[in-house]
Every structure is written in C-alpha cells, then in structure tokens.
C-alpha cells in the first residue's frame, strides 16, 4: 500500500519502475537529472535585443546553464505588457548562441511552433498546463519540454499532463513546481516543497523549482531556492534582471546577477550534501 494518494493506474510513462529508473533530459550540453543541479536564469520577458544580450552575458558569467526569457507573455490583465513576440524569440536565440547558453521560452499556442525553431526548450506555462491540444502538439516535436504545474492543479494532474506529452512520443519532459494558489496572500503563491520531494520519489522525470513565481518577492527567492536544493531538485529557474526596478514585468521578484550568483553557489553546495 502506497502512503501517498496518487492514482497510479493512468500513469503509464512518468512513474519510476525502480529506484534506478531515472530519466535525464539533455539540452545541448546541459543534462537535467544527472545528479548535478542546473540553473535556468534570465528575465521574465525579453525586452529588447540589447537587454537580453546584456543579461545573457551576466548570467553566463555567474553560473547559469540555460537562458530564459518570455516573448509571448500570458498576462492576467490584457493591459499589462504582453511581450515583444516573435522577435523576442530571435533575440533570445541570438543571445543564447553568442554566450553558449541553451534557451527556454514559453509557447502559448500550437500555431506558434514554427517561431520556436531556434529555441531549445519549449515551456508550457502554469496557465496552459491543461491545454491538452498544446500538450499534444509539443508532444509531437522532439524538443525538451519544461512543464510548469498549474497554480490550481494537483500533483497527479501535473503528471497526467506529462503523460499527454509522452503519449505523443516526446519523453523529454522536465517538471516544474512554481507555487500553487492557497488562502495565503502575503506571497504571490505558496511554494509546494512536498510536491518536489514526492515527484523526486515517484517520477522518473527531472524536476525544476521556480522560486520567483512561487514567492513573487525577490528577497524570498534565494532562501526558497535553497530549500528546493535540499529536497534534491534537479534545477532551479529564477528570473534575473540587471535592473529589476526597470523590468517591464515581474521586476519585484527578479534577482540581480550578483544575487543570482550567490544563490547558485549555495544551492550547489546544498545539492552536493543531500545527494
Ligand atoms: C514564466 O515562467 O514566465 C511564467 C509566466 O510562469 P508561470 O507560467 O509559472 O506563471
Ligand atoms: Mn515572470
């Protein structure tokens, strides 16, 4: 009898068959799930070519493995900055290429797939975790997928969404815990650390933590990132901006490159201790 209450009947692919049954996901030369913690860093949104080139250079120097940046931003309000669209993907790809960083960006519609040709990892955002047509479409590509947990979705539902992708043939899936919605309003979301511990126990897939969207408060990002490292997360994704107060979105939760560097160094140490 399992002590947790995940219904295993419909989970054909994502569950571990044995303790050794671990899948790694390689993105260019960066392997998630290989036992060494990885760092995804970059702005919430690609704001301009100059800005993403500058941030890419800084985060590369400070220990990032993968460069992030949204081009199509699914914002809660239609009046908020929506991202710069297709050219944002081109700038992100150029910055990644220049500084030797694989790239990840969020796709919100399957019709946009051609725009993502030069992006290495397709992100499915929290708001689209149950967009099943999108999941099936990215499941028919051969690009790694960063699948974020919806803010009102259970762990079982996250795993079922991963099944949708795998069922189409794409097994290169990285799960992401980014906080869930609770009664608590003091932080942007409530970081579900037990979800990471449980996913690492039962699932074969690498797991990444996003303490930026989980907390919404830059001062809380590093401590929560370190907590994720302590439960053996495979990677940490943080929003980083060279001038957080000027960011076009999510500046209040962005780390400076210097803060990112310190967090990453500490997280690596913790990760080594717990392995
Ligand atoms: C993001 O990572 O840019 C993002 C929008 O996050 P989420 O989908 O978790 O809200
Ligand atoms: Mn953001």
């Amino acid at each position: 009898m399992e002590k947790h209450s995940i219904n295993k009947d419909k989970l054909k692919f994502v569950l571990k068959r044995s303790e050794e049954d671990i899948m790694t996901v390689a993105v260019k030369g960066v392997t998630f799930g290989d036992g060494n913690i990885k760092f995804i860093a970059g702005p919430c949104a690609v704001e301009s070519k100059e800005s993403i080139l500058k941030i890419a250079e800084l985060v590369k120097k400070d220990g990032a493995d993968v460069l992030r940046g949204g081009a199509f931003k699914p914002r809660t309000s239609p009046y908020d900055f929506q991202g710069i669209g297709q050219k944002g993907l081109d700038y992100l790809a150029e910055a990644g290429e220049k500084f030797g960083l694989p790239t990840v960006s969020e796709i919100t519609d399957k019709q946009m797939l051609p725009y993502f040709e030069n992006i290495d990892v397709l992100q499915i955002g929290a708001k689209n975790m149950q967009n099943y047509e999108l999941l099936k479409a990215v499941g028919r590509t051969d690009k790694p997928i960063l699948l974020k947990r919806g803010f009102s979705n259970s762990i079982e539902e996250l795993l079922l969404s991963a099944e949708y992708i795998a069922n189409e043939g794409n097994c290169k899936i990285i799960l992401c815990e980014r906080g869930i919605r609770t009664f608590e309003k003091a932080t942007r979301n409530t970081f579900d650390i037990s979800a990471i511990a449980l996913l690492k126990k039962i699932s074969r897939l690498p797991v990444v933590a996003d303490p930026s969207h989980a907390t919404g408060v830059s001062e809380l990002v590093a401590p929560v990132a370190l907590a994720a490292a302590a439960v053996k997360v495979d990677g940490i994704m943080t929003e980083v901006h060279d001038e957080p107060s000027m960011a076009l979105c999510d500046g209040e939760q962005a780390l400076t490159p210097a803060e990112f560097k310190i967090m990453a160094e500490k997280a690596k140490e913790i990760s080594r201790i717990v392995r």
Side-chain angles (χ1 to χ4, degrees):
M1 221 347 229
E2 296 286 354
K3 293 180 192 164
H4 60 76
S5 62
I6 302 277
N7 180 353
K8 292 187 162 181
D9 297 348
K10 293 196 169 89
L11 298 170
K12 297 188 179 167
F13 168 76
V14 299
L15 298 178
K16 273 185 195 167
R17 270 54 176 178
S18 68
E19 272 312 300
E20 294 72 45
D21 184 20
I22 288 166
M23 283 200 54
T24 58
V25 176
V27 187
K28 289 188 168 159
V30 179
T31 304
F32 287 83
D34 68 357
N36 296 312
I37 192 165
K38 300 297 183 306
F39 298 93
I40 305 173
C44 180
V46 178
E47 299 175 0
S48 67
K49 185 163 160 173
E50 296 65 41
S51 141
I52 192 67
L53 282 166
K54 187 171 181 189
I55 296 172
E57 182 172 18
L58 291 167
V59 297
K60 171 75 184 190
K61 178 170 67 60
D62 292 339
D65 300 289
V66 176
L67 180 65
R68 65 152 284 146
F72 298 93
K73 297 299 303 174
R75 305 300 299 279
T76 304
S77 163
Y79 309 116
D80 288 340
F81 176 61
Q82 303 283 307
I84 60 172
Q86 195 181 347
K87 60 183 190 298
L89 296 177
D90 298 339
Y91 301 156
L92 182 70
E94 188 180 327
E97 188 68 39
K98 181 160 182 194
F99 296 104
L101 290 166
T103 52
V104 56
S105 196
E106 177 168 357
I107 181 164
T108 52
D109 189 306
K110 65 178 176 179
Q111 288 180 339
M112 290 172 180
L113 268 171
Y115 302 162
F116 284 74
E117 200 185 323
N118 298 320
I119 300 299
D120 301 301
V121 179
L122 304 176
Q123 176 173 317
I124 302 294
K127 296 180 178 75
N128 273 310
M129 190 205 88
Q130 288 184 307
N131 181 339
Y132 298 120
E133 290 308 314
L134 182 60
L135 296 176
K136 286 191 261 183
V138 299
R140 291 189 287 266
T141 73
D142 63 0
K143 288 188 192 279
I145 310 300
L146 180 65
L147 176 64
K148 299 187 87 170
R149 179 180 181 185
F151 40 68
S152 297
N153 286 115
S154 66
I155 297 168
E156 187 175 304
E157 286 166 339
L158 171 65
L159 291 171
L160 284 164
S161 289
E163 291 283 340
Y164 262 94
I165 299 169
N167 190 41
E168 297 295 326
N170 186 353
C171 302
K172 294 182 237 168
I173 308 164
I174 303 167
L175 303 172
C176 180
E177 163 58 33
R178 46 78 73 209
I180 51 174
R181 185 168 280 191
T182 67
F183 59 84
E184 183 54 68
K185 293 286 167 281
T187 50
R188 185 171 179 178
N189 288 287
T190 297
F191 189 61
D192 187 359
I193 193 106
S194 358
I196 297 178
L198 181 59
L199 288 169
K200 289 301 300 169
K201 182 175 156 58
I202 66 172
S203 153
R204 311 151 87 180
L205 301 173
V207 182
V208 160
D210 172 354
S212 304
H213 293 90
T215 64
V217 179
S218 62
E219 289 84 353
L220 305 181
V221 171
V224 171
L226 301 187
V231 291
K232 304 188 183 181
V233 83
D234 298 293
I236 293 173
M237 175 156 83
T238 49
E239 290 186 340
V240 178
H241 199 285
D242 57 319
E243 255 186 292
S245 64
M246 301 299 285
L248 295 181
C249 70
D250 284 353
E252 59 292 339
Q253 66 191 33
L255 297 179
T256 62
E259 290 166 343
F260 165 71
K261 183 174 189 221
I262 296 168
M263 179 281 291
E265 282 167 0
K266 288 185 184 166
K268 267 190 216 163
E269 261 179 62
I270 292 175
S271 176
R272 264 194 299 270
I273 293 168
V274 296
R275 264 165 223 280

